[in-house]
Amino acid sequence: RTTALLESDTGIECMKVQLLIDETGRVVDFSVLKGNQSPQQIRQLEYLLVFTAFDPATMFGRPTSDTVTLALRDGHVKGASL
């Protein structure tokens, strides 16, 4: 489960980001894998990620950190867990 991520008009046209999600489901780091955004758009993304929560991955029934890759297009998200 993810919260509604980037449903607002962010001006982000096409970007692929990799997120590091901790054991509590919070985003602790991200990197832009594809896209050429301005510093202002990156700040908007950082702000939105602060308020985003995921169900954490589990290993043997215990929460663990994981990475998630998201493709953003026109402010909408398509995601795939790695």
Side-chain angles (χ1 to χ4, degrees):
R1 173 195 69 134
T2 63
T3 60
L5 176 63
L6 297 177
E7 290 298 326
S8 62
D9 181 19
T10 61
I12 296 171
E13 293 180 14
C14 183
M15 178 190 292
K16 185 181 270 189
V17 295
Q18 185 173 43
L19 309 176
L20 176 59
I21 312 298
D22 70 8
E23 299 83 15
T24 66
R26 302 311 252 162
V27 177
V28 293
D29 195 15
F30 77 94
S31 60
V32 176
L33 303 177
K34 177 185 173 188
N36 201 10
Q37 278 57 48
S38 69
Q40 178 184 1
Q41 289 169 321
I42 296 296
R43 282 192 301 278
Q44 289 174 331
L45 178 62
E46 289 172 343
Y47 178 78
L48 290 169
L49 292 175
V50 165
F51 298 105
T52 302
F54 293 83
D55 284 338
T58 59
M59 183 177 291
F60 303 110
R62 293 182 173 224
T64 186
S65 60
D66 196 9
T67 57
V68 174
T69 300
L70 299 176
L72 312 175
R73 187 176 300 275
D74 298 324
H76 293 84
V77 176
K78 285 188 171 184
S81 182
L82 295 179

